[in-house]
Amino acid sequence: MRLHLQLFYLFLISLSATICKAHEIRPGFLQIQQQSSTTYSVLWKVPRTTDKVLNVQPEFDAAFTLKETSTPKLLEAFMLYVYQLDGKKSLANTSLRINNLSTTRIDVLVDIRFLNGEHHTFLLQPTNNTVIIPESQNSWQVVKTYTILGVEHILLGFDHLLFVLALLIITVGFSKLLKTITAFTIAHSITLSFSVLGIASLPGPPVEAAIALSIVFLAVEILKVQQNKPTITSEKPWLVAFCFGLLHGFGFAGALESIGLPQSEVPLALAMFNIGVELGQIAFVTVALLIMHFSKNIIPQNKYTKKIVPYFIGSLAAFWLIERIAGF
């Protein structure tokens, strides 16, 4: 039993170090806009970390020439390049490839608009970095692309996952848990939609800091419950989940806006991104509940071991809070 406990401590320490060092790398974004029968404007947003820009580039058919038209701009999480693409034929039925994508862990969202109104959206990935650009528009591609983006965003959003994990720990009973997760889902869907549609918005950095603070709050609430102290979260977890869910929705919106939306398919892309987030959340909740169930037979349940997880959650969230406030 002591060996299991030591391994569990080692796992938490390793996980903490990994998450603290990890910064979310958002997808690259390639926008191609047809200007005439032979020219296209190309906007290329390359993800970057604090110390380097990822070495990935778009490669077009040999019949096209790509030339830079302005000085690259350094953005918060991207390097922005602007090009002009010239060719003697249409891009339709030609190949597009993202070089070196297979050496990274990022995706690239491709948005192509033709003068005839045709619009295409693709998601290129390290294992599938080439696409043949079709002639006609396909809404299924938007469905597939933004569903995948939604799933990836929630599963790589460690702060959102820790918040959901804290809700699972503090909520007792299946019906209450179902109500709590549903309230969180409805709330962040509301603010995500409002923000993307321009109805309401909040600045990104304060929202990210407040999300970290919401996780600290839940960690403290868990510790109070373990001391048999009644709290608003233990009595009405759905209410707390809904209130903080509104805040988390603005966080989702910030990520979606940085990725970009197809202007002709905004409602569809927004709906599918939201569905992707929910699918990822359901998958996480299922796995977390299974781990919580089976860990009871591995880790000794006493007042000391029960505090490990809330202290882990609270400490990590406090680190994020300080880091995000310092970045204002």
Side-chain angles (χ1 to χ4, degrees), residues 8-193:
F8 182 68
Y9 288 153
L10 182 59
F11 167 74
L12 287 183
I13 293 171
S14 301
L15 179 62
S16 178
T18 300
I19 295 176
C20 284
K21 291 179 180 179
H23 294 275
E24 181 184 352
I25 300 294
R26 292 179 177 175
F29 180 62
L30 179 64
Q31 184 180 66
I32 304 169
Q33 179 84 45
Q34 186 176 20
Q35 302 296 318
S36 70
S37 59
T38 59
T39 63
Y40 300 81
S41 63
V42 178
L43 184 146
W44 176 223
K45 287 169 62 177
V46 185
R48 72 178 185 89
T49 60
T50 54
D51 56 348
K52 69 176 182 178
V53 178
L54 297 182
N55 182 28
V56 289
Q57 309 90 18
E59 180 184 298
F60 296 89
D61 185 271
F64 293 87
T65 302
L66 188 67
K67 62 180 180 180
E68 198 169 298
T69 57
S70 65
T71 304
K73 293 183 180 179
L74 188 64
L75 306 179
E76 181 181 357
F78 298 92
M79 181 68 79
L80 178 64
Y81 300 91
V82 179
Y83 302 99
Q84 179 174 307
L85 183 68
D86 297 294
K88 296 182 179 180
K89 63 179 182 179
S90 171
L91 271 177
N93 296 316
T94 65
S95 66
L96 168 63
R97 173 187 173 90
I98 305 298
N99 284 333
N100 298 326
L101 191 62
S102 59
T103 64
T104 72
R105 293 182 297 170
I106 69 164
D107 300 332
V108 172
L109 180 64
V110 181
D111 184 87
I112 304 175
R113 302 172 190 276
F114 292 101
L115 286 176
N116 63 3
E118 291 293 339
H119 171 250
H120 306 292
T121 301
F122 308 101
L123 188 67
L124 299 183
Q125 299 173 300
T127 57
N128 183 24
N129 64 343
T130 303
V131 67
I132 301 298
I133 301 169
E135 291 185 6
S136 59
Q137 182 173 325
N138 185 356
S139 295
W140 167 247
Q141 196 63 47
V142 176
V143 171
K144 177 182 175 182
T145 296
Y146 281 88
T147 301
I148 293 173
L149 286 172
V151 172
E152 289 184 347
H153 179 70
I154 186 65
L155 294 182
L156 294 176
F158 296 117
D159 48 359
H160 300 297
L161 294 183
L162 275 188
F163 182 86
V164 173
L165 177 61
L167 287 176
L168 296 180
I169 294 172
I170 205 169
T171 306
V172 179
F174 179 77
S175 60
K176 185 180 286 188
L177 177 61
L178 182 61
K179 185 187 297 186
T180 300
I181 297 299
T182 301
F184 181 64
T185 296
I186 293 173
H188 69 63
S189 298
I190 291 173
T191 45
L192 170 59
S193 301

Side-chain angles (χ1 to χ4, degrees), residues 182-234:
T182 301
F184 181 64
T185 296
I186 293 173
H188 69 63
S189 298
I190 291 173
T191 45
L192 170 59
S193 301
F194 279 14
S195 182
V196 171
L197 297 176
I199 300 173
S201 64
L202 289 175
V207 167
E208 294 299 323
I211 287 174
L213 185 60
S214 71
I215 303 170
V216 174
F217 170 80
L218 283 187
V220 173
E221 291 283 280
I222 294 172
L223 291 172
K224 288 181 179 179
V225 169
Q226 291 178 353
Q227 297 169 5
N228 296 319
K229 296 180 180 178
T231 69
I232 184 174
T233 308
S234 62

Side-chain angles (χ1 to χ4, degrees), residues 172-327:
V172 179
F174 179 77
S175 60
K176 185 180 286 188
L177 177 61
L178 182 61
K179 185 187 297 186
T180 300
I181 297 299
T182 301
F184 181 64
T185 296
I186 293 173
H188 69 63
S189 298
I190 291 173
T191 45
L192 170 59
S193 301
F194 279 14
S195 182
V196 171
L197 297 176
I199 300 173
S201 64
L202 289 175
V207 167
E208 294 299 323
I211 287 174
L213 185 60
S214 71
I215 303 170
V216 174
F217 170 80
L218 283 187
V220 173
E221 291 283 280
I222 294 172
L223 291 172
K224 288 181 179 179
V225 169
Q226 291 178 353
Q227 297 169 5
N228 296 319
K229 296 180 180 178
T231 69
I232 184 174
T233 308
S234 62
E235 294 178 355
K236 297 182 178 180
W238 61 269
L239 178 61
V240 173
F242 184 85
C243 293
F244 283 128
L246 295 173
L247 184 65
H248 283 246
F250 284 114
F252 291 139
L256 184 56
E257 288 171 3
S258 71
I259 293 171
L261 284 168
Q263 294 305 306
S264 61
E265 299 277 8
V266 169
L268 178 61
L270 174 59
M272 299 320 300
F273 182 83
N274 221 338
I275 289 174
V277 168
E278 301 318 314
L279 291 175
Q281 183 173 285
I282 290 171
F284 173 76
V285 168
T286 302
V287 172
L289 288 175
L290 288 173
I291 292 175
M292 290 167 62
H293 174 73
F294 289 110
S295 66
K296 292 179 181 179
N297 300 322
I298 299 175
I299 303 170
Q301 300 295 305
N302 56 56
K303 64 179 181 179
Y304 299 107
T305 57
K306 285 183 178 180
K307 292 181 179 180
I308 295 174
V309 173
Y311 271 111
F312 170 76
I313 293 173
S315 299
L316 195 53
F319 170 81
W320 283 332
L321 177 61
I322 296 170
E323 181 185 48
R324 293 171 182 181
I325 291 176

